[in-house]
Amino acid sequence: MTHQRSNSVLPLVFCLALLGCDRSAPTPVCLSPEVSSRVAPESTTGCGVVLEPYAVGASVKLVIPGVDPSIADALRYEASDPAVLGLTPGDGGVRARCLAPGRSGVAARDPDDGHAVAEIELECVQATDVRWEVGAKLFGAIESSPDVPQVVVGGRAPILARLYAGDLALRGRDAATLVSGPAHLVPSDFWESTWVVLEPAEPGPSEVVLDLGGGVRARYPFVAVAAEDIARLELESAEHGNAGDAANVYAQGYTADGAPALGAPVRFLIDGEEIDGRGEVLQYVLDPSHRRTVTAEVGAAVATVEVHAADEEDARVVASDALVCSAGGDPSVGFGAFGILALLLRRRRRR
């Protein structure tokens, strides 16, 4: 390295020395996928192939653990097979996108002498199938996923689309695109997949079509039902913690035949005062000194539950897609996300 560069890379050399990677024996450390997944980066063995490969079209940010982002940005990144992986350096690492099936190494190199500072090998596989998981089932709000779910008109119901190649699970964030259907897609870092948020505008049979690349398409049928078809609502509250903490009421609708109606645009009231918004979850501030009545209405179905809530001005209504997107790493839902997740997991354990 030149004397001019030595000061800027000194922290990097120090970090690598701590990892047993000094300049006399420059053994590369591992580039690591930056994900908030339930699957920790034990999915990498040394600097070898990620055990769960990525779907063609998927993208992943790779970082050097423990290295300052400004130093990482000063490195030169290269793919051993640019036809398999496309690289976009910046923001403290490099984003790799799977372009075609195959394997490719990614190396972060010193810009002066070209030695590998960090590296990893990724495998890209063409997805051939989608395994769909209803968000309400995944979080324990309903007991089983219907083969053809019912989704309430005017509401939003999240469905997790997990990509597979045969029986091989693929990491698939950003890999699928929406071809048609009343829905929008939300990428999930937590699940390393994509949420398909169904949002029908009129009753009747419908379907969503996804393009998985390589000429492969996946279809997801569902039936949209009117809010008036909901025969009953079930409410459950979760009040854990101290005054001032977030608390929640979750509403699940059912049709006359007992089938769950997903994504119901429920109207909530606290002591008769309507809370703005429509959705299955009421979030409020816990206040053990106040006892209030929460009323939920959708169509002709009405249900009530007693809660300990502060003023209604501190409450809000969110739809379940906000719930699952928050659990997927989207901070937009704000306060109460973890309280809702605890509620739903508690429902699952109790059954």
Side-chain angles (χ1 to χ4, degrees):
M1 289 188 181
T2 65
H3 178 71
Q4 183 178 4
R5 290 283 300 172
S6 61
N7 289 337
S8 64
V9 299
L10 181 60
L12 175 59
V13 173
F14 178 72
C15 289
L16 298 182
L18 291 177
L19 294 169
C21 304
D22 58 31
R23 293 304 301 272
S24 61
T27 303
V29 296
C30 294
L31 278 166
S32 175
E34 183 187 64
V35 293
S36 55
S37 173
R38 298 162 298 113
V39 182
E42 294 162 349
S43 48
T44 59
T45 303
C47 294
V49 178
V50 175
L51 297 183
E52 284 187 1
Y54 289 83
V56 171
S59 66
V60 57
K61 182 180 177 182
L62 303 172
V63 297
I64 307 174
V67 172
D68 184 271
S70 63
I71 296 173
D73 284 342
L75 300 173
R76 187 179 80 247
Y77 295 90
E78 62 181 36
S80 61
D81 191 341
V84 172
L85 285 179
L87 303 182
T88 306
D91 194 24
V94 61
R95 182 161 290 279
R97 178 172 289 276
C98 285
L99 304 177
R103 292 184 179 182
S104 176
V106 179
R109 297 189 179 278
D110 186 291
D112 289 337
D113 62 20
H115 83 271
V117 171
E119 60 186 17
I120 195 173
E121 184 176 333
L122 301 181
E123 181 179 7
C124 301
V125 176
Q126 175 60 55
T128 60
D129 191 21
V130 174
R131 296 186 185 179
W132 310 90
E133 299 189 49
V134 174
K137 163 63 170 62
L138 194 60
F139 287 89
I142 60 176
E143 295 185 9
S144 60
S145 294
D147 292 334
V148 180
Q150 298 186 86
V151 180
V152 183
V153 172
R156 301 192 299 273
I159 311 294
L160 188 64
R162 285 180 159 165
L163 301 185
Y164 280 77
D167 291 329
L168 180 65
L170 305 177
R171 301 180 185 221
R173 187 185 188 278
D174 294 330
T177 57
L178 179 66
V179 176
S180 63
H184 68 272
L185 305 185
V186 179
S188 168
D189 288 331
F190 183 84
W191 298 101
E192 295 187 71
S193 297
T194 297
W195 288 103
V196 180
V197 181
L198 306 178
E199 42 190 2
E202 56 186 27
S206 188
E207 72 172 1
V208 165
V209 180
L210 299 184
D211 186 347
L212 310 186
V216 180
R217 292 192 171 183
R219 300 177 182 274
Y220 187 71
F222 67 96
V223 175
V225 298
E228 291 72 20
D229 293 331
I230 296 180
R232 78 175 196 277
L233 281 174
E234 289 187 1
L235 301 183
E236 185 161 352
S237 63
E239 296 187 340
H240 306 289
N242 302 311
D245 290 345
N248 317 279
V249 172
Y250 186 88
Q252 176 60 53
Y254 294 87
T255 56
D257 60 1
L262 307 177
V266 178
R267 173 177 180 251
F268 282 97
L269 303 93
I270 298 180
D271 286 347
E273 294 292 330
E274 182 173 354
I275 309 302
D276 290 340
R278 296 290 184 269
E280 304 99 309
V281 182
L282 172 70
Q283 300 180 321
Y284 59 93
V285 175
L286 182 63
D287 184 350
S289 66
H290 286 76
R291 191 168 187 84
R292 300 179 180 274
T293 299
V294 169
T295 303
E297 303 175 350
V298 60
V302 179
T304 62
V305 65
E306 295 289 315
V307 301
H308 295 88
D311 294 339
E312 56 271 7
E313 287 81 4
D314 295 322
R316 69 173 188 168
V317 178
V318 297
S320 60
D321 66 312
L323 165 64
V324 296
C325 292
S326 173
D330 182 348
S332 64
V333 78
F335 85 94
F338 293 106
I340 300 171
L341 183 58
L343 158 65
L344 298 182
L345 292 178
R346 181 168 64 87
R347 289 169 63 98
R348 170 177 287 180
R349 287 195 298 269
R350 192 175 64 190
R351 288 189 169 100

